[in-house]
Amino acid sequence: MEFVLTSIIYCFGWIVGIIIIALVLSFIIRMCFISINTKNTYGKLLVSGLCSLFTIQFILNILANFSLSPILGISMPFISYGGSQLVINVVAISIINNVYKFRNTHSELSN
């Protein structure tokens, strides 16, 4: 279901749609702060790559819902229905969480 944001706005109203967009923005900003505060170079690159992946997916889906970009078939992470895409997104968030957990440690190879 590619137009999940449109159906949420239709069923629950614009306030819920704006809340979802605000939550998406706070999620992306939080991932950017994790990337900035990580000392390990590999972890920083890993989190920034996953952050850009989520950002592109969210922005393209939101713009396609408002007819501001072509419909590309990209689902909205964590909101759209899909089994394998949901599993991949959960694994990506667990990687980001693990990098955040060990953000202040340096690996032995970097010394």
Side-chain angles (χ1 to χ4, degrees), residues 31-107:
M31 282 192 297
C32 290
F33 281 139
I34 290 172
S35 175
I36 290 170
N37 293 330
T38 302
K39 291 182 181 178
N40 189 359
T41 308
Y42 179 70
K44 183 178 287 200
L45 290 173
L46 191 63
V47 172
S48 63
L50 291 173
C51 178
S52 65
L53 179 76
F54 279 118
T55 303
I56 289 170
Q57 285 180 348
F58 277 121
I59 288 176
L60 283 177
N61 194 307
I62 290 171
L63 290 177
N65 277 299
F66 293 128
S67 297
L68 298 174
S69 76
I71 301 167
L72 300 173
I74 297 174
S75 63
M76 184 174 272
F78 302 111
I79 298 174
S80 293
Y81 178 75
S84 61
Q85 185 67 31
L86 180 66
V87 171
I88 292 170
N89 290 335
V90 168
V91 168
I93 293 301
S94 64
I95 290 171
I96 292 172
N97 193 17
N98 200 12
V99 169
Y100 177 72
K101 184 178 176 183
F102 297 108
R103 69 187 179 279
N104 292 327
T105 60
H106 287 286
S107 64

